[in-house]
PDB file of all heavy atoms in Angstrom:
ATOM      1  N   ALA A  20       4.146  -3.611   3.350  1.00 98.00           N
ATOM      2  CA  ALA A  20       4.538  -2.688   2.285  1.00 98.00           C
ATOM      3  C   ALA A  20       3.738  -1.392   2.363  1.00 98.00           C
ATOM      4  O   ALA A  20       4.284  -0.303   2.163  1.00 98.00           O
ATOM      5  CB  ALA A  20       4.370  -3.347   0.922  1.00 98.00           C
ATOM      6  N   ARG A  21       2.454  -1.484   2.666  1.00 97.00           N
ATOM      7  CA  ARG A  21       1.616  -0.279   2.792  1.00 97.00           C
ATOM      8  C   ARG A  21       2.117   0.600   3.946  1.00 97.00           C
ATOM      9  O   ARG A  21       2.204   1.823   3.823  1.00 97.00           O
ATOM     10  CB  ARG A  21       0.161  -0.680   3.009  1.00 97.00           C
ATOM     11  CG  ARG A  21      -0.780   0.519   3.035  1.00 97.00           C
ATOM     12  CD  ARG A  21      -2.240   0.098   3.048  1.00 97.00           C
ATOM     13  NE  ARG A  21      -2.603  -0.328   1.709  1.00 97.00           N
ATOM     14  CZ  ARG A  21      -3.159  -1.499   1.406  1.00 97.00           C
ATOM     15  NH1 ARG A  21      -3.449  -2.363   2.354  1.00 97.00           N
ATOM     16  NH2 ARG A  21      -3.461  -1.811   0.165  1.00 97.00           N
ATOM     17  N   CYS A  22       2.478  -0.023   5.055  1.00 96.00           N
ATOM     18  CA  CYS A  22       2.994   0.713   6.208  1.00 96.00           C
ATOM     19  C   CYS A  22       4.316   1.402   5.866  1.00 96.00           C
ATOM     20  O   CYS A  22       4.524   2.578   6.186  1.00 96.00           O
ATOM     21  CB  CYS A  22       3.162  -0.257   7.376  1.00 96.00           C
ATOM     22  SG  CYS A  22       3.752   0.486   8.901  1.00 96.00           S
ATOM     23  N   LEU A  23       5.215   0.689   5.203  1.00 96.00           N
ATOM     24  CA  LEU A  23       6.504   1.274   4.834  1.00 96.00           C
ATOM     25  C   LEU A  23       6.335   2.363   3.785  1.00 96.00           C
ATOM     26  O   LEU A  23       7.005   3.404   3.846  1.00 96.00           O
ATOM     27  CB  LEU A  23       7.462   0.187   4.337  1.00 96.00           C
ATOM     28  CG  LEU A  23       8.892   0.650   4.058  1.00 96.00           C
ATOM     29  CD1 LEU A  23       9.552   1.248   5.305  1.00 96.00           C
ATOM     30  CD2 LEU A  23       9.722  -0.517   3.524  1.00 96.00           C
ATOM     31  N   ALA A  24       5.428   2.167   2.835  1.00 96.00           N
ATOM     32  CA  ALA A  24       5.169   3.193   1.815  1.00 96.00           C
ATOM     33  C   ALA A  24       4.654   4.475   2.466  1.00 96.00           C
ATOM     34  O   ALA A  24       5.092   5.579   2.112  1.00 96.00           O
ATOM     35  CB  ALA A  24       4.169   2.671   0.783  1.00 96.00           C
ATOM     36  N   ALA A  25       3.756   4.350   3.423  1.00 95.00           N
ATOM     37  CA  ALA A  25       3.239   5.536   4.119  1.00 95.00           C
ATOM     38  C   ALA A  25       4.366   6.276   4.829  1.00 95.00           C
ATOM     39  O   ALA A  25       4.442   7.514   4.779  1.00 95.00           O
ATOM     40  CB  ALA A  25       2.149   5.127   5.111  1.00 95.00           C
ATOM     41  N   ALA A  26       5.266   5.549   5.477  1.00 94.00           N
ATOM     42  CA  ALA A  26       6.403   6.186   6.144  1.00 94.00           C
ATOM     43  C   ALA A  26       7.328   6.843   5.126  1.00 94.00           C
ATOM     44  O   ALA A  26       7.857   7.938   5.368  1.00 94.00           O
ATOM     45  CB  ALA A  26       7.175   5.151   6.970  1.00 94.00           C
ATOM     46  N   ALA A  27       7.520   6.200   3.980  1.00 95.00           N
ATOM     47  CA  ALA A  27       8.377   6.772   2.930  1.00 95.00           C
ATOM     48  C   ALA A  27       7.827   8.120   2.471  1.00 95.00           C
ATOM     49  O   ALA A  27       8.571   9.103   2.354  1.00 95.00           O
ATOM     50  CB  ALA A  27       8.490   5.810   1.753  1.00 95.00           C
ATOM     51  N   PHE A  28       6.540   8.177   2.217  1.00 95.00           N
ATOM     52  CA  PHE A  28       5.933   9.413   1.731  1.00 95.00           C
ATOM     53  C   PHE A  28       5.795  10.460   2.830  1.00 95.00           C
ATOM     54  O   PHE A  28       6.172  11.621   2.643  1.00 95.00           O
ATOM     55  CB  PHE A  28       4.548   9.127   1.140  1.00 95.00           C
ATOM     56  CG  PHE A  28       4.582   8.324  -0.128  1.00 95.00           C
ATOM     57  CD1 PHE A  28       3.721   7.263  -0.306  1.00 95.00           C
ATOM     58  CD2 PHE A  28       5.470   8.624  -1.152  1.00 95.00           C
ATOM     59  CE1 PHE A  28       3.731   6.518  -1.477  1.00 95.00           C
ATOM     60  CE2 PHE A  28       5.490   7.891  -2.332  1.00 95.00           C
ATOM     61  CZ  PHE A  28       4.619   6.828  -2.490  1.00 95.00           C
ATOM     62  N   ASP A  29       5.280  10.063   3.982  1.00 93.00           N
ATOM     63  CA  ASP A  29       4.927  11.021   5.020  1.00 93.00           C
ATOM     64  C   ASP A  29       6.095  11.453   5.898  1.00 93.00           C
ATOM     65  O   ASP A  29       6.111  12.564   6.405  1.00 93.00           O
ATOM     66  CB  ASP A  29       3.815  10.453   5.910  1.00 93.00           C
ATOM     67  CG  ASP A  29       2.541  10.178   5.126  1.00 93.00           C
ATOM     68  OD1 ASP A  29       2.342  10.805   4.056  1.00 93.00           O
ATOM     69  OD2 ASP A  29       1.747   9.319   5.560  1.00 93.00           O
ATOM     70  N   ARG A  30       7.087  10.563   6.089  1.00 91.00           N
ATOM     71  CA  ARG A  30       8.170  10.883   7.014  1.00 91.00           C
ATOM     72  C   ARG A  30       9.505  11.122   6.327  1.00 91.00           C
ATOM     73  O   ARG A  30      10.357  11.814   6.869  1.00 91.00           O
ATOM     74  CB  ARG A  30       8.297   9.765   8.042  1.00 91.00           C
ATOM     75  CG  ARG A  30       7.027   9.704   8.911  1.00 91.00           C
ATOM     76  CD  ARG A  30       6.870   8.393   9.618  1.00 91.00           C
ATOM     77  NE  ARG A  30       7.659   8.319  10.813  1.00 91.00           N
ATOM     78  CZ  ARG A  30       7.601   7.326  11.686  1.00 91.00           C
ATOM     79  NH1 ARG A  30       6.760   6.329  11.480  1.00 91.00           N
ATOM     80  NH2 ARG A  30       8.359   7.308  12.738  1.00 91.00           N
ATOM     81  N   LEU A  31       9.684  10.531   5.149  1.00 92.00           N
ATOM     82  CA  LEU A  31      10.964  10.675   4.461  1.00 92.00           C
ATOM     83  C   LEU A  31      10.880  11.575   3.234  1.00 92.00           C
ATOM     84  O   LEU A  31      11.889  11.826   2.588  1.00 92.00           O
ATOM     85  CB  LEU A  31      11.514   9.299   4.061  1.00 92.00           C
ATOM     86  CG  LEU A  31      11.922   8.415   5.232  1.00 92.00           C
ATOM     87  CD1 LEU A  31      12.297   7.024   4.748  1.00 92.00           C
ATOM     88  CD2 LEU A  31      13.069   9.045   6.006  1.00 92.00           C
ATOM     89  N   GLY A  32       9.694  12.021   2.890  1.00 93.00           N
ATOM     90  CA  GLY A  32       9.544  12.940   1.772  1.00 93.00           C
ATOM     91  C   GLY A  32       9.736  12.322   0.398  1.00 93.00           C
ATOM     92  O   GLY A  32      10.050  13.017  -0.570  1.00 93.00           O
ATOM     93  N   VAL A  33       9.525  11.011   0.280  1.00 96.00           N
ATOM     94  CA  VAL A  33       9.642  10.359  -1.016  1.00 96.00           C
ATOM     95  C   VAL A  33       8.520  10.872  -1.926  1.00 96.00           C
ATOM     96  O   VAL A  33       7.377  11.028  -1.502  1.00 96.00           O
ATOM     97  CB  VAL A  33       9.578   8.817  -0.853  1.00 96.00           C
ATOM     98  CG1 VAL A  33       9.422   8.119  -2.193  1.00 96.00           C
ATOM     99  CG2 VAL A  33      10.821   8.319  -0.122  1.00 96.00           C
ATOM    100  N   HIS A  34       8.880  11.142  -3.174  1.00 97.00           N
ATOM    101  CA  HIS A  34       7.916  11.607  -4.181  1.00 97.00           C
ATOM    102  C   HIS A  34       7.404  10.440  -5.035  1.00 97.00           C
ATOM    103  O   HIS A  34       6.223  10.367  -5.343  1.00 97.00           O
ATOM    104  CB  HIS A  34       8.577  12.652  -5.084  1.00 97.00           C
ATOM    105  CG  HIS A  34       7.751  13.026  -6.266  1.00 97.00           C
ATOM    106  ND1 HIS A  34       6.581  13.743  -6.154  1.00 97.00           N
ATOM    107  CD2 HIS A  34       7.915  12.758  -7.588  1.00 97.00           C
ATOM    108  CE1 HIS A  34       6.062  13.909  -7.356  1.00 97.00           C
ATOM    109  NE2 HIS A  34       6.845  13.327  -8.248  1.00 97.00           N
ATOM    110  N   ARG A  35       8.318   9.530  -5.424  1.00 98.00           N
ATOM    111  CA  ARG A  35       7.961   8.398  -6.284  1.00 98.00           C
ATOM    112  C   ARG A  35       8.546   7.123  -5.680  1.00 98.00           C
ATOM    113  O   ARG A  35       9.736   7.047  -5.409  1.00 98.00           O
ATOM    114  CB  ARG A  35       8.517   8.604  -7.690  1.00 98.00           C
ATOM    115  CG  ARG A  35       8.211   7.459  -8.644  1.00 98.00           C
ATOM    116  CD  ARG A  35       8.745   7.763 -10.062  1.00 98.00           C
ATOM    117  NE  ARG A  35       8.544   6.640 -10.948  1.00 98.00           N
ATOM    118  CZ  ARG A  35       9.405   5.624 -11.079  1.00 98.00           C
ATOM    119  NH1 ARG A  35      10.538   5.610 -10.416  1.00 98.00           N
ATOM    120  NH2 ARG A  35       9.143   4.634 -11.904  1.00 98.00           N
ATOM    121  N   LEU A  36       7.678   6.147  -5.499  1.00 98.00           N
ATOM    122  CA  LEU A  36       8.065   4.856  -4.938  1.00 98.00           C
ATOM    123  C   LEU A  36       7.905   3.818  -6.046  1.00 98.00           C
ATOM    124  O   LEU A  36       6.883   3.791  -6.731  1.00 98.00           O
ATOM    125  CB  LEU A  36       7.142   4.524  -3.762  1.00 98.00           C
ATOM    126  CG  LEU A  36       7.493   3.340  -2.893  1.00 98.00           C
ATOM    127  CD1 LEU A  36       8.810   3.586  -2.164  1.00 98.00           C
ATOM    128  CD2 LEU A  36       6.380   3.098  -1.884  1.00 98.00           C
ATOM    129  N   PHE A  37       8.921   2.975  -6.220  1.00 98.00           N
ATOM    130  CA  PHE A  37       8.811   1.950  -7.253  1.00 98.00           C
ATOM    131  C   PHE A  37       9.263   0.596  -6.719  1.00 98.00           C
ATOM    132  O   PHE A  37       9.979   0.505  -5.718  1.00 98.00           O
ATOM    133  CB  PHE A  37       9.594   2.336  -8.520  1.00 98.00           C
ATOM    134  CG  PHE A  37      11.083   2.369  -8.352  1.00 98.00           C
ATOM    135  CD1 PHE A  37      11.860   1.252  -8.649  1.00 98.00           C
ATOM    136  CD2 PHE A  37      11.723   3.516  -7.906  1.00 98.00           C
ATOM    137  CE1 PHE A  37      13.239   1.284  -8.500  1.00 98.00           C
ATOM    138  CE2 PHE A  37      13.103   3.562  -7.766  1.00 98.00           C
ATOM    139  CZ  PHE A  37      13.865   2.440  -8.058  1.00 98.00           C
ATOM    140  N   ALA A  38       8.812  -0.444  -7.403  1.00 98.00           N
ATOM    141  CA  ALA A  38       9.190  -1.824  -7.076  1.00 98.00           C
ATOM    142  C   ALA A  38       9.573  -2.513  -8.375  1.00 98.00           C
ATOM    143  O   ALA A  38       8.889  -2.357  -9.389  1.00 98.00           O
ATOM    144  CB  ALA A  38       8.024  -2.563  -6.416  1.00 98.00           C
ATOM    145  N   ARG A  39      10.667  -3.259  -8.324  1.00 97.00           N
ATOM    146  CA  ARG A  39      11.098  -4.088  -9.454  1.00 97.00           C
ATOM    147  C   ARG A  39      10.917  -5.538  -9.049  1.00 97.00           C
ATOM    148  O   ARG A  39      11.365  -5.937  -7.974  1.00 97.00           O
ATOM    149  CB  ARG A  39      12.570  -3.826  -9.778  1.00 97.00           C
ATOM    150  CG  ARG A  39      12.830  -2.457 -10.315  1.00 97.00           C
ATOM    151  CD  ARG A  39      14.293  -2.236 -10.588  1.00 97.00           C
ATOM    152  NE  ARG A  39      14.954  -3.487 -10.943  1.00 97.00           N
ATOM    153  CZ  ARG A  39      16.258  -3.654 -11.002  1.00 97.00           C
ATOM    154  NH1 ARG A  39      17.060  -2.670 -10.745  1.00 97.00           N
ATOM    155  NH2 ARG A  39      16.779  -4.816 -11.320  1.00 97.00           N
ATOM    156  N   LEU A  40      10.252  -6.322  -9.888  1.00 96.00           N
ATOM    157  CA  LEU A  40      10.005  -7.703  -9.514  1.00 96.00           C
ATOM    158  C   LEU A  40       9.994  -8.616 -10.723  1.00 96.00           C
ATOM    159  O   LEU A  40       9.679  -8.191 -11.834  1.00 96.00           O
ATOM    160  CB  LEU A  40       8.684  -7.827  -8.750  1.00 96.00           C
ATOM    161  CG  LEU A  40       7.493  -7.093  -9.329  1.00 96.00           C
ATOM    162  CD1 LEU A  40       6.324  -8.015  -9.462  1.00 96.00           C
ATOM    163  CD2 LEU A  40       7.160  -5.957  -8.384  1.00 96.00           C
ATOM    164  N   ASP A  41      10.366  -9.847 -10.492  1.00 95.00           N
ATOM    165  CA  ASP A  41      10.348 -10.864 -11.524  1.00 95.00           C
ATOM    166  C   ASP A  41       8.919 -11.031 -12.030  1.00 95.00           C
ATOM    167  O   ASP A  41       7.976 -11.079 -11.232  1.00 95.00           O
ATOM    168  CB  ASP A  41      10.876 -12.185 -10.935  1.00 95.00           C
ATOM    169  CG  ASP A  41      11.093 -13.244 -11.974  1.00 95.00           C
ATOM    170  OD1 ASP A  41      10.092 -13.729 -12.548  1.00 95.00           O
ATOM    171  OD2 ASP A  41      12.256 -13.600 -12.221  1.00 95.00           O
ATOM    172  N   THR A  42       8.754 -11.127 -13.340  1.00 96.00           N
ATOM    173  CA  THR A  42       7.411 -11.233 -13.910  1.00 96.00           C
ATOM    174  C   THR A  42       6.680 -12.498 -13.463  1.00 96.00           C
ATOM    175  O   THR A  42       5.454 -12.542 -13.490  1.00 96.00           O
ATOM    176  CB  THR A  42       7.455 -11.195 -15.452  1.00 96.00           C
ATOM    177  OG1 THR A  42       8.272 -12.264 -15.926  1.00 96.00           O
ATOM    178  CG2 THR A  42       7.993  -9.865 -15.949  1.00 96.00           C
ATOM    179  N   GLU A  43       7.439 -13.510 -13.054  1.00 94.00           N
ATOM    180  CA  GLU A  43       6.807 -14.758 -12.606  1.00 94.00           C
ATOM    181  C   GLU A  43       6.418 -14.721 -11.124  1.00 94.00           C
ATOM    182  O   GLU A  43       5.784 -15.648 -10.630  1.00 94.00           O
ATOM    183  CB  GLU A  43       7.741 -15.933 -12.881  1.00 94.00           C
ATOM    184  CG  GLU A  43       7.977 -16.157 -14.368  1.00 94.00           C
ATOM    185  CD  GLU A  43       8.957 -17.273 -14.653  1.00 94.00           C
ATOM    186  OE1 GLU A  43       9.359 -17.998 -13.715  1.00 94.00           O
ATOM    187  OE2 GLU A  43       9.316 -17.427 -15.833  1.00 94.00           O
ATOM    188  N   ASN A  44       6.780 -13.655 -10.440  1.00 95.00           N
ATOM    189  CA  ASN A  44       6.475 -13.523  -9.017  1.00 95.00           C
ATOM    190  C   ASN A  44       5.067 -12.942  -8.865  1.00 95.00           C
ATOM    191  O   ASN A  44       4.882 -11.765  -8.562  1.00 95.00           O
ATOM    192  CB  ASN A  44       7.531 -12.642  -8.339  1.00 95.00           C
ATOM    193  CG  ASN A  44       7.395 -12.627  -6.837  1.00 95.00           C
ATOM    194  OD1 ASN A  44       6.385 -13.051  -6.292  1.00 95.00           O
ATOM    195  ND2 ASN A  44       8.406 -12.117  -6.175  1.00 95.00           N
ATOM    196  N   THR A  45       4.078 -13.791  -9.093  1.00 96.00           N
ATOM    197  CA  THR A  45       2.689 -13.328  -9.116  1.00 96.00           C
ATOM    198  C   THR A  45       2.223 -12.787  -7.763  1.00 96.00           C
ATOM    199  O   THR A  45       1.392 -11.885  -7.714  1.00 96.00           O
ATOM    200  CB  THR A  45       1.745 -14.451  -9.592  1.00 96.00           C
ATOM    201  OG1 THR A  45       1.916 -15.587  -8.734  1.00 96.00           O
ATOM    202  CG2 THR A  45       2.037 -14.829 -11.031  1.00 96.00           C
ATOM    203  N   GLY A  46       2.769 -13.309  -6.676  1.00 96.00           N
ATOM    204  CA  GLY A  46       2.404 -12.788  -5.354  1.00 96.00           C
ATOM    205  C   GLY A  46       2.809 -11.331  -5.209  1.00 96.00           C
ATOM    206  O   GLY A  46       2.028 -10.498  -4.727  1.00 96.00           O
ATOM    207  N   SER A  47       4.010 -10.980  -5.646  1.00 97.00           N
ATOM    208  CA  SER A  47       4.463  -9.586  -5.555  1.00 97.00           C
ATOM    209  C   SER A  47       3.736  -8.686  -6.548  1.00 97.00           C
ATOM    210  O   SER A  47       3.500  -7.513  -6.268  1.00 97.00           O
ATOM    211  CB  SER A  47       5.976  -9.495  -5.746  1.00 97.00           C
ATOM    212  OG  SER A  47       6.631  -9.928  -4.569  1.00 97.00           O
ATOM    213  N   VAL A  48       3.362  -9.225  -7.702  1.00 97.00           N
ATOM    214  CA  VAL A  48       2.545  -8.453  -8.638  1.00 97.00           C
ATOM    215  C   VAL A  48       1.239  -8.051  -7.943  1.00 97.00           C
ATOM    216  O   VAL A  48       0.818  -6.891  -7.997  1.00 97.00           O
ATOM    217  CB  VAL A  48       2.262  -9.253  -9.935  1.00 97.00           C
ATOM    218  CG1 VAL A  48       1.154  -8.610 -10.758  1.00 97.00           C
ATOM    219  CG2 VAL A  48       3.531  -9.394 -10.758  1.00 97.00           C
ATOM    220  N   ARG A  49       0.614  -9.010  -7.262  1.00 97.00           N
ATOM    221  CA  ARG A  49      -0.649  -8.711  -6.560  1.00 97.00           C
ATOM    222  C   ARG A  49      -0.440  -7.690  -5.438  1.00 97.00           C
ATOM    223  O   ARG A  49      -1.293  -6.832  -5.219  1.00 97.00           O
ATOM    224  CB  ARG A  49      -1.270 -10.004  -6.023  1.00 97.00           C
ATOM    225  CG  ARG A  49      -1.905 -10.848  -7.123  1.00 97.00           C
ATOM    226  CD  ARG A  49      -2.768 -11.970  -6.566  1.00 97.00           C
ATOM    227  NE  ARG A  49      -2.032 -12.900  -5.731  1.00 97.00           N
ATOM    228  CZ  ARG A  49      -1.390 -13.977  -6.169  1.00 97.00           C
ATOM    229  NH1 ARG A  49      -1.399 -14.274  -7.439  1.00 97.00           N
ATOM    230  NH2 ARG A  49      -0.759 -14.770  -5.331  1.00 97.00           N
ATOM    231  N   VAL A  50       0.692  -7.767  -4.727  1.00 98.00           N
ATOM    232  CA  VAL A  50       0.968  -6.777  -3.676  1.00 98.00           C
ATOM    233  C   VAL A  50       1.033  -5.380  -4.295  1.00 98.00           C
ATOM    234  O   VAL A  50       0.410  -4.442  -3.799  1.00 98.00           O
ATOM    235  CB  VAL A  50       2.272  -7.106  -2.911  1.00 98.00           C
ATOM    236  CG1 VAL A  50       2.683  -5.951  -2.008  1.00 98.00           C
ATOM    237  CG2 VAL A  50       2.102  -8.379  -2.095  1.00 98.00           C
ATOM    238  N   CYS A  51       1.773  -5.234  -5.378  1.00 98.00           N
ATOM    239  CA  CYS A  51       1.880  -3.927  -6.042  1.00 98.00           C
ATOM    240  C   CYS A  51       0.508  -3.406  -6.448  1.00 98.00           C
ATOM    241  O   CYS A  51       0.192  -2.224  -6.236  1.00 98.00           O
ATOM    242  CB  CYS A  51       2.783  -4.011  -7.273  1.00 98.00           C
ATOM    243  SG  CYS A  51       4.525  -4.221  -6.911  1.00 98.00           S
ATOM    244  N   GLU A  52      -0.296  -4.261  -7.018  1.00 97.00           N
ATOM    245  CA  GLU A  52      -1.626  -3.842  -7.462  1.00 97.00           C
ATOM    246  C   GLU A  52      -2.529  -3.489  -6.288  1.00 97.00           C
ATOM    247  O   GLU A  52      -3.278  -2.514  -6.344  1.00 97.00           O
ATOM    248  CB  GLU A  52      -2.233  -4.920  -8.360  1.00 97.00           C
ATOM    249  CG  GLU A  52      -1.467  -4.997  -9.681  1.00 97.00           C
ATOM    250  CD  GLU A  52      -1.838  -6.171 -10.562  1.00 97.00           C
ATOM    251  OE1 GLU A  52      -2.592  -7.081 -10.106  1.00 97.00           O
ATOM    252  OE2 GLU A  52      -1.348  -6.205 -11.712  1.00 97.00           O
TER     253      GLU A  52
END
């Protein structure tokens, strides 16, 4: 996710990146954090 986020910002010109995830998906919560 960090690698893809860097490409989104640096190569695709993304300004705001967001993730939607189930509140019970604690693994993905930790990734976001």
